[in-house]
Amino acid sequence: MEFDYVIVGAGSAGCVLAERLSAGGRARVLVLEAGGADRHPWIRVPLGYAFTFSDPRVNWRYTARPDPGLLGREAYWPRGKVVGGSSSINAMAWVRGLPGDFDDWQEAGAEGWGWPAMRAAFDALETVLAPGEDGRMRASGNGPVPVSDLGRDMHPFSDNFLAAARDLGWPVTGDMNAPGQAGIGRYRSTVRAGRRVSAADAFLKPALRRGGVRLLTHALVERIALDGRRARGVHFRRAGRAGFARARREVILCAGAVNSPQILQLSGLGPAPLLRAHGIEVVRDLPEVGRGLQDHLAITHYFRSNAPTLNTRLGTPLGRVLAGVQYVATRRGPLGVPVNQVGGFVRSGPAQSAPDLQIYCNPASYSVPADGKPRIDRAPGFLLCAQPCRPTSRGEIRIASPDPTRPPDILPNSLATEADRRAAIAASRAVQALAATPTLSALIRSAHEPDIRAMGEAELLENFRARAGSVFHASCTCRMGRRAGDSVLDARLRVHGVAGLRVVDASAFPNVTSGNTNAPTMALALRAAGLILEDAGRAGEAARESA
């Protein structure tokens, strides 16, 4: 098989690239996806997140190595293993992040990736859907990604979270994605007419219908084929058979912050000592491949309520049946709204020049047992959650074997810096402050143990170490930068010293953004497509001039 571009991974970035690179009708694109088709019924249902969270049919179900910063705990790391990638199993929150996030990218060596360029990419992606005065949804923008205001369908209890924010003097905003609109508001979601819209729905499926793109599912890429220091294609395995796909122009890794560095390392591109330890020939010593891992950690606490919440409707078998009937009939009701309802960005104190915490408030309480399947409580309850926005600790992804079917080692290295430990305490203080507001304290019947409300500073840090968890924003493991000594990619997302090879996904972030990473990943891919086509045009001109 021979194509102009071979894309590894049909996730948030790969789907965007496949559509954009094939849009002109001249390029032939192959997309290789390790997972299967996105026909799992719960993928489409916004609240179906609970059912795909641990389903091995659509999820890699990774487990990080014991993390000293979290008292040796092994964190669960779900990642999409399905067409659409993590955009098919995530919580659908569409959060751009803060403008300063992208200016920081540029300062880190990703020239051209500052806020003005990224804002243009977000604008091009989005169609914002919000109810008008007549209650009907109105559209603004003409991008392929629906960004829906679902406030009218959120549980009425969520209004209390906005009131609690006002109690604290936090700004309340109608759109946390608008520049300068940091504050608490209702999360906007990639949902249209009560159904999830993944990157596959928005980009890949239209491209497949148009032509020029071929998708192979259940195709596990084993390594990149290199001719000297040029990528020529990829070796993969499908249905037990070895396959090879040749790339006339480029191989583009879009396998995510865990799997993209794994594939590079398996191909002989990475830290030489690690590769040699696994008997892999070193094609190019790139010490930063897999390093620089960043993620967001959040502390969540649950409270029983003396007012009705989503538990009142979904906490019993009959309630769940009735909610299901309502959803099937109307595409509305509890199942039509993602789990995240209210939250946003706030400052932990007046000394902060920019928001440094992200807040999540959900009108439901639930538990996640060892089997990974969330179980909603029967009694009314709600949760309060806070995460530090910009961690400074850096972890690592390392192959554990030359066998591509074996998961790599995930080493988060959480809370390794004093700054991150202070931020953990600040996030915990924010949860305490929300629980203590007049609005919420009047609604709390009791707190689930441990009760965060009376903890002192030392207890808050130990509680964070014992209970905080990933919110699944892994990034930065193939980050952009200035040179091979401090990064993996240049500012055009090309692997240092290797021709015909780029990485386009959240692993390319120089720093993790302040919030959810799906929207920035898709915006990065949209800009990357422009760079790739620009470079192809230049190469074509050079070829014609030399002819």
Side-chain angles (χ1 to χ4, degrees):
M1 295 188 295
E2 186 168 287
F3 295 81
D4 294 298
Y5 299 100
V6 175
I7 296 172
V8 179
S12 296
C15 290
V16 175
L17 282 176
E19 195 280 330
R20 288 289 79 210
L21 295 180
S22 64
R26 296 179 181 176
R28 295 184 67 236
V29 178
L30 173 66
V31 182
L32 298 171
E33 168 55 45
D38 57 345
R39 290 191 290 267
H40 191 298
W42 284 111
I43 285 176
R44 300 282 168 245
V45 181
L47 207 63
Y49 169 80
F51 297 93
T52 59
F53 183 74
S54 62
D55 191 329
R57 292 175 292 177
V58 297
N59 199 317
W60 286 100
R61 290 172 48 93
Y62 287 133
T63 300
R65 300 290 296 165
D67 192 344
L70 300 183
L71 305 183
R73 290 186 290 132
E74 299 179 352
Y76 175 54
W77 278 43
R79 311 301 300 167
K81 187 183 181 183
V82 63
V83 170
S86 291
S87 77
S88 288
I89 67 166
N90 68 357
M92 288 153 282
W94 185 263
V95 178
R96 291 182 172 191
L98 301 174
D101 296 338
F102 308 103
D103 294 333
D104 286 350
W105 284 13
Q106 183 151 294
E107 290 177 11
E111 188 65 34
W113 290 89
W115 171 241
M118 289 296 285
R119 180 179 181 179
F122 286 123
D123 288 343
L125 285 171
E126 299 170 0
T127 289
V128 175
L129 301 172
E133 292 182 2
D134 60 359
R136 295 183 178 181
M137 297 299 277
R138 305 294 183 189
S140 60
N142 56 6
V145 179
V147 182
S148 294
D149 177 353
L150 302 177
R152 66 179 184 176
D153 291 322
M154 290 181 179
H155 194 279
F157 189 91
S158 286
D159 292 338
N160 294 303
F161 301 132
L162 300 176
R166 293 187 182 97
D167 289 345
L168 291 171
W170 290 348
V172 173
T173 177
D175 180 7
M176 69 181 71
N177 288 319
Q181 291 297 306
I184 300 297
R186 302 183 191 277
Y187 278 104
R188 296 192 174 187
S189 305
T190 51
V191 172
R192 180 190 285 121
R195 292 168 67 85
R196 173 197 295 271
V197 177
S198 69
D201 297 321
F203 289 95
L204 182 59
K205 292 174 185 178
L208 291 169
R209 290 192 293 266
R210 184 185 61 220
V213 177
R214 183 178 179 186
L215 169 67
L216 290 183
T217 57
H218 302 291
L220 179 69
V221 169
E222 298 182 318
R223 60 185 173 87
I224 301 161
L226 295 160
D227 180 2
R229 290 190 177 179
R230 180 171 188 86
R232 296 297 186 185
V234 299
H235 296 276
F236 64 93
R237 187 163 294 277
R238 186 171 188 249
R241 296 182 178 180
F244 177 71
R246 183 176 299 278
R248 284 189 289 265
R249 295 181 182 173
E250 296 189 20
V251 172
I252 308 169
L253 293 186
C254 302
V258 175
N259 295 106
S260 283
Q262 177 193 27
I263 293 169
L264 289 177
Q265 291 171 4
L266 290 171
S267 306
L269 305 170
L274 173 67
L275 305 187
R276 292 192 185 106
H278 291 290
I280 295 172
E281 179 185 354
V282 179
V283 177
R284 179 159 169 73
D285 181 11
L286 292 171
E288 292 303 309
V289 171
R291 295 178 183 167
L293 172 64
Q294 289 194 305
D295 186 22
H296 287 134
L297 284 174
I299 186 67
T300 302
H301 279 265
Y302 299 89
F303 301 87
R304 289 206 174 104
S305 170
N306 55 32
T309 67
L310 271 174
N311 300 76
T312 310
R313 291 204 62 186
L314 299 179
T316 64
L318 177 61
R320 290 191 288 274
V321 169
L322 293 176
V325 170
Q326 180 186 11
Y327 178 76
V328 170
T330 67
R331 291 290 186 265
R332 296 181 67 177
L335 300 187
V337 181
V339 63
N340 293 318
Q341 295 204 359
V342 169
F345 298 107
V346 299
R347 291 174 172 82
S348 61
Q352 298 297 327
S353 59
D356 59 325
L357 299 177
Q358 185 176 7
I359 304 297
Y360 301 90
C361 305
N362 299 335
S365 62
Y366 52 86
S367 59
V368 183
D371 63 7
K373 298 178 181 179
R375 289 173 171 75
I376 192 163
D377 298 334
R378 294 179 67 94
F382 63 92
L383 71 83
L384 302 175
C385 173
Q387 73 176 37
C389 286
R390 295 293 298 274
T392 56
S393 300
R394 297 271 187 174
E396 188 174 0
I397 302 293
R398 294 196 303 230
I399 53 170
S401 164
D403 179 358
T405 66
R406 181 172 172 182
D409 286 336
I410 301 171
L411 305 162
N413 196 32
S414 304
L415 303 183
T417 67
E418 180 59 28
D420 285 356
R421 293 188 285 273
R422 291 196 303 269
I425 294 169
S428 302
R429 291 287 192 202
V431 173
Q432 285 184 322
L434 277 166
T437 59
T439 298
L440 292 183
S441 61
L443 294 168
I444 294 174
R445 181 183 298 275
S446 62
H448 289 211
E449 292 297 332
D451 188 344
I452 193 174
R453 291 176 294 178
M455 292 183 187
E457 186 169 294
E459 292 174 288
L460 290 174
L461 180 57
E462 285 308 299
N463 179 64
F464 196 97
R465 291 186 188 276
R467 300 186 65 258
S470 170
V471 286
F472 322 123
H473 298 163
S475 54
C476 309
T477 51
C478 298
R479 64 193 183 281
M480 288 185 280
R482 296 181 176 86
R483 60 191 69 86
D486 62 24
S487 59
V488 178
L489 311 174
D490 66 14
R492 299 183 79 82
L493 299 154
R494 299 172 297 200
V495 175
H496 291 303
V498 183
L501 179 61
R502 301 192 206 224
V503 181
V504 181
D505 55 34
S507 70
F509 293 8
N511 303 290
V512 69
T513 53
S514 290
N516 309 71
T517 50
N518 188 49
T521 298
M522 292 175 71
L524 177 137
L526 188 70
R527 287 208 70 241
L531 297 176
I532 293 166
L533 292 172
E534 186 179 278
D535 288 348
R538 289 174 179 169
E541 289 177 9
R544 287 190 292 272
E545 289 175 0
S546 63

mmCIF file of all heavy atoms in Angstrom, residues 292-323:
data_model
loop_
_atom_site.group_PDB
_atom_site.id
_atom_site.type_symbol
_atom_site.label_atom_id
_atom_site.label_comp_id
_atom_site.label_asym_id
_atom_site.label_seq_id
_atom_site.Cartn_x
_atom_site.Cartn_y
_atom_site.Cartn_z
ATOM 1 N N GLY A 292 9.122 14.708 29.905
ATOM 2 C CA GLY A 292 8.325 15.930 29.945
ATOM 3 C C GLY A 292 6.855 15.705 30.199
ATOM 4 O O GLY A 292 6.052 16.644 30.116
ATOM 5 N N LEU A 293 6.445 14.461 30.508
ATOM 6 C CA LEU A 293 5.042 14.130 30.710
ATOM 7 C C LEU A 293 4.391 15.054 31.742
ATOM 8 O O LEU A 293 4.902 15.223 32.850
ATOM 9 C CB LEU A 293 4.920 12.681 31.182
ATOM 10 C CG LEU A 293 3.537 12.189 31.631
ATOM 11 C CD1 LEU A 293 2.550 12.208 30.479
ATOM 12 C CD2 LEU A 293 3.650 10.787 32.232
ATOM 13 N N GLN A 294 3.257 15.639 31.356
ATOM 14 C CA GLN A 294 2.457 16.434 32.283
ATOM 15 C C GLN A 294 1.000 15.982 32.234
ATOM 16 O O GLN A 294 0.525 15.480 31.219
ATOM 17 C CB GLN A 294 2.543 17.928 31.965
ATOM 18 C CG GLN A 294 3.898 18.538 32.305
ATOM 19 C CD GLN A 294 3.855 20.055 32.301
ATOM 20 O OE1 GLN A 294 3.457 20.675 31.329
ATOM 21 N NE2 GLN A 294 4.279 20.656 33.399
ATOM 22 N N ASP A 295 0.314 16.178 33.347
ATOM 23 C CA ASP A 295 -1.093 15.805 33.473
ATOM 24 C C ASP A 295 -1.697 16.692 34.545
ATOM 25 O O ASP A 295 -0.982 17.362 35.296
ATOM 26 C CB ASP A 295 -1.189 14.323 33.852
ATOM 27 C CG ASP A 295 -2.619 13.799 33.858
ATOM 28 O OD1 ASP A 295 -3.485 14.402 33.203
ATOM 29 O OD2 ASP A 295 -2.874 12.772 34.522
ATOM 30 N N HIS A 296 -3.001 16.722 34.613
ATOM 31 C CA HIS A 296 -3.689 17.442 35.691
ATOM 32 C C HIS A 296 -4.158 16.452 36.749
ATOM 33 O O HIS A 296 -4.738 15.414 36.424
ATOM 34 C CB HIS A 296 -4.904 18.195 35.147
ATOM 35 C CG HIS A 296 -4.559 19.404 34.341
ATOM 36 N ND1 HIS A 296 -5.147 19.694 33.133
ATOM 37 C CD2 HIS A 296 -3.680 20.407 34.574
ATOM 38 C CE1 HIS A 296 -4.651 20.814 32.661
ATOM 39 N NE2 HIS A 296 -3.761 21.271 33.516
ATOM 40 N N LEU A 297 -3.905 16.797 37.988
ATOM 41 C CA LEU A 297 -4.414 16.046 39.137
ATOM 42 C C LEU A 297 -5.505 16.859 39.813
ATOM 43 O O LEU A 297 -5.352 18.072 40.004
ATOM 44 C CB LEU A 297 -3.302 15.791 40.152
ATOM 45 C CG LEU A 297 -2.274 14.717 39.834
ATOM 46 C CD1 LEU A 297 -1.185 14.737 40.894
ATOM 47 C CD2 LEU A 297 -2.926 13.340 39.777
ATOM 48 N N ALA A 298 -6.584 16.194 40.198
ATOM 49 C CA ALA A 298 -7.694 16.894 40.846
ATOM 50 C C ALA A 298 -8.071 16.191 42.138
ATOM 51 O O ALA A 298 -7.977 14.967 42.261
ATOM 52 C CB ALA A 298 -8.896 16.950 39.918
ATOM 53 N N ILE A 299 -8.533 16.987 43.098
ATOM 54 C CA ILE A 299 -9.052 16.455 44.354
ATOM 55 C C ILE A 299 -10.570 16.606 44.336
ATOM 56 O O ILE A 299 -11.093 17.687 44.046
ATOM 57 C CB ILE A 299 -8.426 17.161 45.585
ATOM 58 C CG1 ILE A 299 -8.889 16.479 46.874
ATOM 59 C CG2 ILE A 299 -8.685 18.649 45.590
ATOM 60 C CD1 ILE A 299 -8.372 15.071 47.059
ATOM 61 N N THR A 300 -11.263 15.508 44.611
ATOM 62 C CA THR A 300 -12.725 15.484 44.541
ATOM 63 C C THR A 300 -13.286 15.038 45.880
ATOM 64 O O THR A 300 -12.805 14.068 46.478
ATOM 65 C CB THR A 300 -13.200 14.512 43.450
ATOM 66 O OG1 THR A 300 -12.646 14.910 42.192
ATOM 67 C CG2 THR A 300 -14.719 14.504 43.347
ATOM 68 N N HIS A 301 -14.305 15.757 46.332
ATOM 69 C CA HIS A 301 -15.010 15.352 47.552
ATOM 70 C C HIS A 301 -16.513 15.368 47.305
ATOM 71 O O HIS A 301 -17.025 16.181 46.534
ATOM 72 C CB HIS A 301 -14.640 16.261 48.725
ATOM 73 C CG HIS A 301 -13.337 15.884 49.361
ATOM 74 N ND1 HIS A 301 -13.244 15.061 50.459
ATOM 75 C CD2 HIS A 301 -12.061 16.187 49.014
ATOM 76 C CE1 HIS A 301 -11.969 14.884 50.778
ATOM 77 N NE2 HIS A 301 -11.230 15.559 49.913
ATOM 78 N N TYR A 302 -17.189 14.428 47.999
ATOM 79 C CA TYR A 302 -18.617 14.211 47.793
ATOM 80 C C TYR A 302 -19.391 14.606 49.048
ATOM 81 O O TYR A 302 -18.917 14.432 50.173
ATOM 82 C CB TYR A 302 -18.888 12.744 47.472
ATOM 83 C CG TYR A 302 -18.197 12.266 46.222
ATOM 84 C CD1 TYR A 302 -16.899 11.744 46.269
ATOM 85 C CD2 TYR A 302 -18.831 12.323 44.986
ATOM 86 C CE1 TYR A 302 -16.260 11.306 45.127
ATOM 87 C CE2 TYR A 302 -18.194 11.884 43.836
ATOM 88 C CZ TYR A 302 -16.908 11.380 43.912
ATOM 89 O OH TYR A 302 -16.276 10.944 42.779
ATOM 90 N N PHE A 303 -20.606 15.089 48.818
ATOM 91 C CA PHE A 303 -21.455 15.547 49.919
ATOM 92 C C PHE A 303 -22.877 15.048 49.700
ATOM 93 O O PHE A 303 -23.379 15.054 48.567
ATOM 94 C CB PHE A 303 -21.455 17.079 49.983
ATOM 95 C CG PHE A 303 -20.085 17.673 50.183
ATOM 96 C CD1 PHE A 303 -19.261 17.942 49.093
ATOM 97 C CD2 PHE A 303 -19.602 17.942 51.457
ATOM 98 C CE1 PHE A 303 -17.990 18.465 49.259
ATOM 99 C CE2 PHE A 303 -18.328 18.466 51.638
ATOM 100 C CZ PHE A 303 -17.526 18.736 50.535
ATOM 101 N N ARG A 304 -23.514 14.625 50.802
ATOM 102 C CA ARG A 304 -24.935 14.296 50.737
ATOM 103 C C ARG A 304 -25.727 15.588 50.830
ATOM 104 O O ARG A 304 -25.364 16.517 51.549
ATOM 105 C CB ARG A 304 -25.322 13.350 51.873
ATOM 106 C CG ARG A 304 -24.757 11.949 51.676
ATOM 107 C CD ARG A 304 -25.599 10.909 52.380
ATOM 108 N NE ARG A 304 -25.114 9.573 52.055
ATOM 109 C CZ ARG A 304 -24.399 8.829 52.875
ATOM 110 N NH1 ARG A 304 -24.085 9.285 54.065
ATOM 111 N NH2 ARG A 304 -24.007 7.622 52.497
ATOM 112 N N SER A 305 -26.825 15.626 50.102
ATOM 113 C CA SER A 305 -27.605 16.854 49.989
ATOM 114 C C SER A 305 -28.988 16.681 50.585
ATOM 115 O O SER A 305 -29.562 15.582 50.560
ATOM 116 C CB SER A 305 -27.739 17.232 48.505
ATOM 117 O OG SER A 305 -28.664 18.272 48.339
ATOM 118 N N ASN A 306 -29.525 17.777 51.105
ATOM 119 C CA ASN A 306 -30.913 17.748 51.579
ATOM 120 C C ASN A 306 -31.881 18.274 50.528
ATOM 121 O O ASN A 306 -33.052 18.524 50.817
ATOM 122 C CB ASN A 306 -31.067 18.524 52.896
ATOM 123 C CG ASN A 306 -30.565 19.952 52.773
ATOM 124 O OD1 ASN A 306 -30.649 20.562 51.709
ATOM 125 N ND2 ASN A 306 -30.031 20.495 53.868
ATOM 126 N N ALA A 307 -31.379 18.450 49.291
ATOM 127 C CA ALA A 307 -32.222 18.855 48.162
ATOM 128 C C ALA A 307 -32.013 17.858 47.030
ATOM 129 O O ALA A 307 -30.967 17.204 46.944
ATOM 130 C CB ALA A 307 -31.852 20.264 47.702
ATOM 131 N N PRO A 308 -32.986 17.706 46.142
ATOM 132 C CA PRO A 308 -32.855 16.732 45.050
ATOM 133 C C PRO A 308 -31.674 17.048 44.132
ATOM 134 O O PRO A 308 -31.389 18.207 43.841
ATOM 135 C CB PRO A 308 -34.184 16.866 44.289
ATOM 136 C CG PRO A 308 -35.135 17.471 45.262
ATOM 137 C CD PRO A 308 -34.310 18.372 46.141
ATOM 138 N N THR A 309 -30.992 15.993 43.690
ATOM 139 C CA THR A 309 -29.903 16.102 42.712
ATOM 140 C C THR A 309 -30.140 15.023 41.647
ATOM 141 O O THR A 309 -31.179 14.357 41.642
ATOM 142 C CB THR A 309 -28.533 15.904 43.368
ATOM 143 O OG1 THR A 309 -28.424 14.547 43.816
ATOM 144 C CG2 THR A 309 -28.336 16.859 44.546
ATOM 145 N N LEU A 310 -29.178 14.835 40.779
ATOM 146 C CA LEU A 310 -29.310 13.776 39.769
ATOM 147 C C LEU A 310 -29.475 12.399 40.410
ATOM 148 O O LEU A 310 -30.089 11.508 39.819
ATOM 149 C CB LEU A 310 -28.092 13.766 38.853
ATOM 150 C CG LEU A 310 -28.147 14.656 37.608
ATOM 151 C CD1 LEU A 310 -26.807 14.631 36.896
ATOM 152 C CD2 LEU A 310 -29.259 14.209 36.666
ATOM 153 N N ASN A 311 -28.923 12.206 41.595
ATOM 154 C CA ASN A 311 -29.095 10.924 42.282
ATOM 155 C C ASN A 311 -30.569 10.603 42.485
ATOM 156 O O ASN A 311 -30.967 9.440 42.461
ATOM 157 C CB ASN A 311 -28.399 10.945 43.640
ATOM 158 C CG ASN A 311 -26.919 11.204 43.529
ATOM 159 O OD1 ASN A 311 -26.514 12.342 43.304
ATOM 160 N ND2 ASN A 311 -26.109 10.172 43.665
ATOM 161 N N THR A 312 -31.370 11.633 42.709
ATOM 162 C CA THR A 312 -32.790 11.433 42.948
ATOM 163 C C THR A 312 -33.445 10.744 41.756
ATOM 164 O O THR A 312 -34.358 9.931 41.913
ATOM 165 C CB THR A 312 -33.471 12.788 43.212
ATOM 166 O OG1 THR A 312 -32.729 13.501 44.211
ATOM 167 C CG2 THR A 312 -34.902 12.594 43.693
ATOM 168 N N ARG A 313 -32.944 11.044 40.541
ATOM 169 C CA ARG A 313 -33.513 10.448 39.326
ATOM 170 C C ARG A 313 -32.780 9.183 38.903
ATOM 171 O O ARG A 313 -33.390 8.235 38.415
ATOM 172 C CB ARG A 313 -33.470 11.455 38.175
ATOM 173 C CG ARG A 313 -34.416 12.621 38.346
ATOM 174 C CD ARG A 313 -34.769 13.227 36.999
ATOM 175 N NE ARG A 313 -35.473 12.261 36.141
ATOM 176 C CZ ARG A 313 -35.795 12.508 34.875
ATOM 177 N NH1 ARG A 313 -35.454 13.677 34.325
ATOM 178 N NH2 ARG A 313 -36.426 11.609 34.159
ATOM 179 N N LEU A 314 -31.459 9.160 39.064
ATOM 180 C CA LEU A 314 -30.669 8.056 38.516
ATOM 181 C C LEU A 314 -30.208 7.060 39.569
ATOM 182 O O LEU A 314 -29.538 6.079 39.235
ATOM 183 C CB LEU A 314 -29.452 8.618 37.778
ATOM 184 C CG LEU A 314 -29.751 9.539 36.594
ATOM 185 C CD1 LEU A 314 -28.452 10.040 35.965
ATOM 186 C CD2 LEU A 314 -30.601 8.831 35.545
ATOM 187 N N GLY A 315 -30.545 7.291 40.818
ATOM 188 C CA GLY A 315 -30.063 6.432 41.894
ATOM 189 C C GLY A 315 -30.853 5.154 42.084
ATOM 190 O O GLY A 315 -30.478 4.314 42.907
ATOM 191 N N THR A 316 -31.945 4.976 41.351
ATOM 192 C CA THR A 316 -32.750 3.763 41.470
ATOM 193 C C THR A 316 -32.937 3.138 40.087
ATOM 194 O O THR A 316 -32.911 3.844 39.067
ATOM 195 C CB THR A 316 -34.139 4.066 42.063
ATOM 196 O OG1 THR A 316 -34.853 4.916 41.153
ATOM 197 C CG2 THR A 316 -34.009 4.761 43.411
ATOM 198 N N PRO A 317 -33.163 1.834 40.007
ATOM 199 C CA PRO A 317 -33.388 1.194 38.704
ATOM 200 C C PRO A 317 -34.549 1.813 37.937
ATOM 201 O O PRO A 317 -34.448 2.035 36.724
ATOM 202 C CB PRO A 317 -33.662 -0.266 39.072
ATOM 203 C CG PRO A 317 -32.940 -0.465 40.374
ATOM 204 C CD PRO A 317 -33.080 0.842 41.103
ATOM 205 N N LEU A 318 -35.667 2.098 38.639
ATOM 206 C CA LEU A 318 -36.815 2.695 37.968
ATOM 207 C C LEU A 318 -36.467 4.070 37.410
ATOM 208 O O LEU A 318 -36.829 4.398 36.268
ATOM 209 C CB LEU A 318 -38.000 2.804 38.929
ATOM 210 C CG LEU A 318 -39.246 3.496 38.351
ATOM 211 C CD1 LEU A 318 -39.771 2.731 37.137
ATOM 212 C CD2 LEU A 318 -40.330 3.619 39.432
ATOM 213 N N GLY A 319 -35.744 4.860 38.189
ATOM 214 C CA GLY A 319 -35.359 6.188 37.723
ATOM 215 C C GLY A 319 -34.485 6.124 36.479
ATOM 216 O O GLY A 319 -34.643 6.929 35.552
ATOM 217 N N ARG A 320 -33.587 5.150 36.449
ATOM 218 C CA ARG A 320 -32.718 5.015 35.280
ATOM 219 C C ARG A 320 -33.526 4.588 34.054
ATOM 220 O O ARG A 320 -33.268 5.046 32.930
ATOM 221 C CB ARG A 320 -31.594 4.034 35.580
ATOM 222 C CG ARG A 320 -30.574 4.572 36.584
ATOM 223 C CD ARG A 320 -29.339 3.708 36.659
ATOM 224 N NE ARG A 320 -29.572 2.434 37.332
ATOM 225 C CZ ARG A 320 -29.504 2.252 38.644
ATOM 226 N NH1 ARG A 320 -29.231 3.266 39.448
ATOM 227 N NH2 ARG A 320 -29.701 1.051 39.178
ATOM 228 N N VAL A 321 -34.490 3.689 34.244
ATOM 229 C CA VAL A 321 -35.339 3.270 33.129
ATOM 230 C C VAL A 321 -36.119 4.463 32.581
ATOM 231 O O VAL A 321 -36.196 4.673 31.356
ATOM 232 C CB VAL A 321 -36.290 2.139 33.558
ATOM 233 C CG1 VAL A 321 -37.354 1.896 32.495
ATOM 234 C CG2 VAL A 321 -35.512 0.857 33.822
ATOM 235 N N LEU A 322 -36.703 5.256 33.469
ATOM 236 C CA LEU A 322 -37.488 6.414 33.021
ATOM 237 C C LEU A 322 -36.604 7.440 32.309
ATOM 238 O O LEU A 322 -37.014 8.038 31.310
ATOM 239 C CB LEU A 322 -38.195 7.053 34.219
ATOM 240 C CG LEU A 322 -39.289 6.198 34.873
ATOM 241 C CD1 LEU A 322 -39.839 6.894 36.112
ATOM 242 C CD2 LEU A 322 -40.405 5.897 33.875
ATOM 243 N N ALA A 323 -35.394 7.640 32.821
ATOM 244 C CA ALA A 323 -34.465 8.561 32.155
ATOM 245 C C ALA A 323 -34.096 8.042 30.773
ATOM 246 O O ALA A 323 -33.966 8.816 29.812
ATOM 247 C CB ALA A 323 -33.210 8.760 32.999
#
